[in-house]
Amino acid sequence: MKIVCTEFRQESNSLSPFQSDLAFWRNNGWVLRPEEMRGAHEGSGSAMAGMISEIERLLPDAHIVFGPGFYAQSGGTAAQHVMDSYTEQLVDVLRGAGDIDMILFSFHGALQTTEFDDAEAEVLRRVREVVGEDVVIGVSTDLHAYVSRAFAERADIISGYQTYPHVDFEETGRRAARLTIRKATDSAADTVMAWASIPMIVPASAYNSLEGPFADLIHHGHRMVADGTILDFSIYQMQPWLDVADPNSTVVVVAKDAETACARAGELAQLLYDARHAFTTELSSIDAVIDFALQADSAKPVILVDSADSNNAGAPGDSMAVAAKLLDREVMPRSATVVSDPVAVTRAHRLGVGTTAEFHIGGQMDPRAPQITAQGYIRSLHDGTFRPQVVGHTGDSVSVGRAAVVRFGNLDVMVCEHIAGNGDPQLYRAFGIDPAMYDLVVVKANTSFRAAYRDIAGTIVPTDTPGAASANVADLPFRRMPRSIYPWVDEERTICAEVVRG
Ligand SMILES: [Zn+2]
């Protein structure tokens, strides 16, 4: 058995004002050569780590050939040269590997390039051109993937995260590897994947797998796996900042026969669509959240969720919308926020700790972002690396570039060259800001933060802030998105599944 393992992962935000070029991928992720892949992933908790360990468990004599590994934090649409560089390196590996039995991809699944809405489907097309239709291709993805028909037609197995906040990276890699091996090796067992397209997008902050209707649906899928009805399921809520001409959310089910796969995928897809009205987020105004944090009896810290500026979702992270509102107040709650602003970081490092100076912060990347100009006191300067509390996705060490903590009255601003690890309280704690000690803490994330923050948060308040990852999906400035799907069209529909891989 010869198995190629490779990684190509980024979540695109079409509404971000910049492209993610190779320099962005290198600075906000990694670009690994094949010989670096094992060392980078083994024991890391990533999907690729899960694939490697599952192959070695089930097929100890298999020969793993690594392809390249490209990963970047969420960002704007990827420059086409990123995909071309990745696929050229991968095709070289495939041509050099001789006869291959299987290929395993660790994708995000919602990557858009300047030329392709559906980058993963194009990667698979290029790979199929080289290896043909008989090599078994398995894929792991994020739960927010865009699984188009073309994507599903070219992959034999697709397994997505079943948790949100995402914590099952490694297990998802194992599921994808296990099913792909089953399909490639066990000729007696049929392994059939059915795909159902659901015409809807909903804000990512509106659901999670911990509680509520989405969690119920995930539990329903798990029960069907546990009782042997199906082999695997993935319920995709396409991330809503992807401006594509043919969008869909998706359910994928793998079963031992086509009839069961289609019936169960259709059932889960119908349940997801029928629950659409539950996937909305009530947003409070920034001022209302500040007022709440000022009340003596509000449960603190109040977590002000600024999901619209989440660079987990591809926004620049350079908005000072909340800080500007805080600085307008005569009485300010004890507050902390975080921002990407490399110019302000450089200025703080030049001036030194203990200096008070006028700072202009915000809008470095997106000039439309709210900014502040005020006298700030430089409390501390940092190299910007920290150990995350939430492991798996970002590795052992996270870097935000150089950093500075600048104090404006009751407001501490964590200024980074580039924000990373947004959903992790360590992003503050490691630099002397203990969120538990503040009245109001700005968290620029959608749902990921709940994994670590739910233990320390007094109150969590999704807030109506401006930015490229706004939860007001219907009002986003899409140019290509057809308004024929939910939330623009809200009607009863019958959702059916089919087997699309010939
Ligand atoms: Zn996701």
Side-chain angles (χ1 to χ4, degrees):
M1 269 278 162
K2 193 178 282 180
I3 305 170
V4 174
C5 289
T6 178
E7 171 184 46
F8 189 40
R9 284 195 295 132
Q10 188 191 29
E11 179 179 83
S12 298
N13 182 320
S14 316
L15 308 173
S16 168
F18 0 68
Q19 281 178 23
S20 304
D21 57 10
L22 258 184
F24 180 92
W25 283 62
R26 288 183 197 282
N27 291 333
N28 299 277
W30 53 72
V31 174
L32 299 172
R33 295 189 303 275
E35 60 271 26
E36 297 172 307
M37 282 282 280
R38 183 184 285 272
H41 280 289
E42 248 178 352
S44 71
S46 66
M48 180 54 62
M51 289 174 175
I52 297 168
S53 66
E54 196 68 359
I55 293 168
E56 292 181 342
R57 186 177 74 85
L58 294 172
L59 297 173
D61 296 328
H63 177 40
I64 300 179
V65 177
F66 286 100
F70 282 36
Y71 160 74
Q73 180 176 311
S74 188
T77 303
Q80 184 55 36
H81 71 249
V82 177
M83 182 211 271
D84 293 341
S85 168
Y86 169 76
T87 49
E88 278 162 25
Q89 290 181 44
L90 177 58
V91 164
D92 280 349
V93 168
L94 295 173
R95 290 196 201 283
D99 282 342
I100 299 163
D101 300 287
M102 291 167 41
I103 307 174
L104 285 168
F105 286 90
S106 171
F107 282 150
H108 178 286
L111 176 67
Q112 179 182 46
T113 68
T114 46
E115 288 178 31
F116 296 96
D117 275 359
D118 186 2
E120 292 83 1
E122 174 61 16
V123 168
L124 293 178
R125 192 191 65 75
R126 294 180 186 186
V127 166
R128 287 279 182 210
E129 240 174 41
V130 177
V131 303
E133 294 296 325
D134 293 338
V135 170
V136 181
I137 294 183
V139 173
S140 74
T141 69
D142 193 275
L143 183 148
H144 297 108
Y146 167 38
V147 184
S148 67
R149 172 179 286 270
F151 185 167
E153 279 172 351
R154 293 164 192 163
D156 295 283
I157 297 294
I158 302 174
S159 292
Y161 302 156
Q162 294 167 331
T163 60
Y164 186 43
H166 307 316
V167 292
D168 58 338
F169 313 108
E170 188 165 0
E171 179 51 30
T172 304
R174 280 199 211 101
R175 284 163 48 218
R178 194 156 60 233
L179 290 162
T180 309
I181 289 170
R182 180 188 155 96
K183 177 115 186 148
T185 59
D186 191 351
S187 55
D190 265 327
T191 308
V192 184
M193 184 175 79
W195 170 89
S197 170
I198 305 147
M200 67 182 265
I201 57 168
V202 300
S205 53
Y207 55 89
N208 62 69
S209 61
L210 304 171
E211 59 193 2
F214 190 69
D216 295 343
L217 204 52
I218 295 281
H219 291 149
H220 183 46
H222 281 305
R223 277 194 299 274
M224 289 197 282
V225 174
D227 70 16
T229 307
I230 60 174
L231 295 168
D232 194 49
F233 72 97
S234 306
I235 302 172
Y236 292 101
Q237 301 258 32
M238 185 186 108
Q239 65 97 353
W241 305 287
L242 196 64
D243 190 9
V244 295
D246 188 20
N248 59 262
S249 289
T250 322
V251 167
V252 169
V253 165
V254 181
K256 292 175 192 167
D257 64 89
E259 196 183 333
T260 308
C262 287
R264 298 309 181 169
E267 177 187 332
L268 288 170
Q270 189 71 54
L271 289 168
L272 181 69
Y273 184 70
D274 290 347
R276 63 194 178 280
H277 297 140
F279 303 132
T280 51
T281 304
E282 288 290 323
L283 299 173
S284 300
S285 72
I286 297 172
D287 277 318
V289 184
I290 295 171
D291 289 339
F292 181 70
L294 282 168
Q295 288 173 18
D297 58 352
S298 54
K300 299 183 183 70
V302 175
I303 306 300
L304 187 159
V305 185
D306 180 5
S307 55
D309 196 35
S310 164
N311 47 352
N312 291 342
D318 67 342
S319 164
M320 291 295 273
V322 179
K325 292 278 190 190
L326 284 164
L327 292 175
D328 277 348
R329 298 290 183 116
E330 280 182 20
V331 181
M332 199 195 296
R334 193 176 175 201
S335 307
T337 190
V338 62
V339 66
S340 286
D341 191 326
V343 174
V345 170
T346 300
R347 180 165 153 75
H349 277 255
R350 194 159 45 75
L351 292 168
V353 170
T355 309
T356 298
E358 185 171 88
F359 275 90
H360 181 81
I361 302 182
Q364 274 297 320
M365 270 93 48
D366 185 349
R368 298 166 301 184
Q371 303 159 24
I372 63 164
T373 301
Q375 290 284 317
Y377 169 77
I378 303 167
R379 280 183 64 200
S380 55
L381 301 170
H382 306 272
D383 68 356
T385 57
F386 68 94
R387 280 188 167 274
Q389 177 178 336
V390 184
V391 292
H393 197 42
T394 39
D396 288 343
S397 177
V398 176
S399 173
V400 297
R402 289 178 307 162
V405 176
V406 185
R407 176 167 284 177
F408 300 86
N410 251 356
L411 169 66
D412 284 336
V413 182
M414 168 72 188
V415 193
C416 315
E417 285 188 294
H418 49 87
I419 301 178
N422 312 34
D424 195 320
Q426 285 290 98
L427 170 61
Y428 285 123
R429 228 183 259 136
F431 306 105
I433 298 173
D434 180 354
M437 302 295 291
Y438 287 72
D439 301 325
L440 186 155
V441 177
V442 176
V443 174
K444 295 184 174 182
N446 271 284
T447 294
S448 60
F449 72 93
R450 290 179 189 269
Y453 269 98
R454 67 175 181 164
D455 295 334
I456 56 167
T459 316
I460 293 173
V461 192
T463 307
D464 188 11
T465 51
S470 169
N472 285 322
V473 168
D475 294 335
L476 288 170
F478 293 119
R479 286 176 297 133
R480 314 192 57 205
M481 176 77 66
R483 267 58 170 189
S484 55
I485 65 168
Y486 183 80
W488 295 279
V489 172
D490 185 7
E491 60 185 22
E492 300 304 316
R493 296 181 197 250
T494 303
I495 314 287
C496 294
E498 55 189 312
V499 175
V500 293
R501 170 111 185 102

